[in-house]
Amino acid sequence: MNNSKQWSSATPGYIIFLVDQSGSMSESFTGDKNKATFTALVINRTINDLIFTNSAGDKIKDRVFISIIGYGGKGGNSVEDIRSDYLSAFAESPLRLERIKKKISDGGGGLVEIEEEMPVFVEPTANGLTPMGEALIFCKQLIEGWNGKKPDNPAPVIINVTDGFPYEGQNGDEPNKTLKSAKEVMGISTIDGNPLIFNIHIGDGGREVQFEESESKLVDDETKLLFNISSKVPDSYRDAAKKHGFNIAPESRGFVSNAGAETLIKFINFGSSGGTDRIA
């Protein structure tokens, strides 16, 4: 199979949100929010959307297992399993509830702003370096453990959100370490195909580069690395990509460089879709 097995309560999917929590994530991004704050907001909303989508009355169907992995956030080259749980456990025990403002239709063609409570599962953090390679090594261990216990389940998906080049200190070879680790993850064999890695680089106002087919069209080392550590978009994910306005070619890799706020939201929704409507 080629990453086409649908999530179900019997065979849940597995999503790993890989979150860059390095010091540069404190930089301003959109509105009054920095990169770390906006990234946490989008991931929290995505998990809440998954909870809503997989609800049947008062019951949350465990069609997906989620890991939130932060790298750099504890300082230096730290990698932290912030939380790993089934969907129902996230629903039952968020870290806290946060009041947010939301605009909805007023029924007469206009919008009205309301306040609602949103469960929070990951807090914004900006600290330390960018040990992306170490984080991917940890992901490999998680996926191998999952695959050993759940060999019939859909292939896992990693969604990596970063704002920079891998960096562990002056004496390291982080790009090669990151590339090697990513290739090892994508080389794991499951019944449903290989695990997928989708990468999004949060930009600083430069030109967005989306879902390119060839490294030859890329001009800087950072974007080339992102391309090379990203999976080819499987056929099963093409409709989800198009739904969110992404142009997908036959050899497109699942990555975006220099993403703005709107693209970050769409990309994480695409990556966490399971390739379908998330329901089986």
Side-chain angles (χ1 to χ4, degrees):
M1 296 179 71
N2 184 23
N3 306 98
S4 58
K5 190 161 189 175
Q6 200 166 5
W7 301 351
S8 71
S9 298
T11 56
Y14 184 20
I15 295 176
I16 299 175
F17 291 107
L18 201 57
V19 186
D20 182 351
Q21 297 182 319
S22 60
S24 57
M25 290 289 283
S26 64
E27 295 172 358
S28 179
F29 183 52
T30 181
D32 61 348
K33 294 178 175 60
N34 64 23
K35 294 174 180 178
T37 300
F38 193 77
T39 297
L41 175 63
V42 176
I43 291 174
N44 286 323
R45 282 181 171 171
T46 300
I47 294 173
N48 279 299
D49 286 345
L50 285 166
I51 290 168
F52 176 78
T53 303
N54 291 280
S55 297
D58 293 332
K59 180 178 175 58
I60 310 297
K61 296 190 176 182
D62 281 326
R63 297 181 176 124
V64 61
F65 188 91
I66 297 171
S67 289
I68 305 173
I69 309 300
Y71 56 100
K74 291 290 187 180
N77 295 318
S78 61
V79 176
E80 179 191 13
D81 186 346
I82 297 169
R83 184 167 185 181
S84 290
D85 250 326
Y86 280 101
L87 198 58
S88 61
F90 277 90
E92 291 165 3
S93 56
L95 292 176
R96 60 183 176 85
L97 297 176
E98 180 176 313
R99 297 197 67 83
I100 62 170
K101 293 181 179 180
K102 182 179 180 180
K103 290 183 179 180
I104 62 171
S105 171
D106 63 3
L111 295 173
V112 59
E113 189 172 77
I114 64 169
E115 279 196 349
E116 65 177 13
E117 288 188 332
M118 184 182 75
V120 171
F121 309 104
V122 58
E123 299 282 10
T125 303
N127 189 27
L129 303 178
T130 314
M132 195 181 299
E134 282 295 322
L136 286 166
I137 290 171
F138 185 58
C139 287
K140 179 173 180 283
Q141 295 169 352
L142 291 176
I143 289 172
E144 287 175 337
W146 174 263
N147 195 34
K149 296 175 182 177
K150 308 284 185 179
D152 296 327
N153 288 39
V157 180
I158 297 171
I159 304 172
N160 180 36
V161 184
T162 181
D163 79 327
F165 215 47
Y167 183 68
E168 296 180 12
Q170 296 180 351
N171 299 321
D173 186 12
E174 291 79 34
N176 283 334
K177 179 178 182 179
T178 297
L179 179 60
K180 179 177 182 291
S181 302
K183 295 297 185 185
E184 289 177 354
V185 170
M186 292 188 284
I188 296 172
S189 179
T190 80
I191 291 175
D192 187 41
N194 303 112
L196 300 172
I197 303 179
F198 296 139
N199 292 280
I200 185 159
H201 166 258
I202 301 173
D204 294 306
R207 182 179 72 87
E208 284 191 359
V209 177
Q210 301 182 359
F211 294 89
E212 286 287 356
E213 290 188 281
S214 172
E215 183 183 356
S216 64
K217 298 180 180 180
L218 308 176
V219 297
D220 62 85
D221 290 341
E222 186 173 89
T223 307
K224 289 179 180 179
L225 177 65
L226 211 64
F227 174 88
N228 283 306
I229 65 172
S230 298
S231 301
K232 178 182 170 182
V233 179
D235 291 342
S236 56
Y237 276 76
R238 291 178 182 274
D239 286 344
K242 291 175 183 176
K243 175 184 175 182
H244 292 292
F246 296 125
N247 295 318
I248 303 298
E251 299 298 319
S252 288
R253 299 286 184 97
F255 87 104
V256 174
S257 181
N258 286 319
E262 183 178 356
T263 300
L264 177 60
I265 295 170
K266 291 179 178 179
F267 187 88
I268 291 181
N269 285 333
F270 148 75
S272 64
S273 69
T276 62
D277 61 1
R278 303 170 175 151
I279 297 177

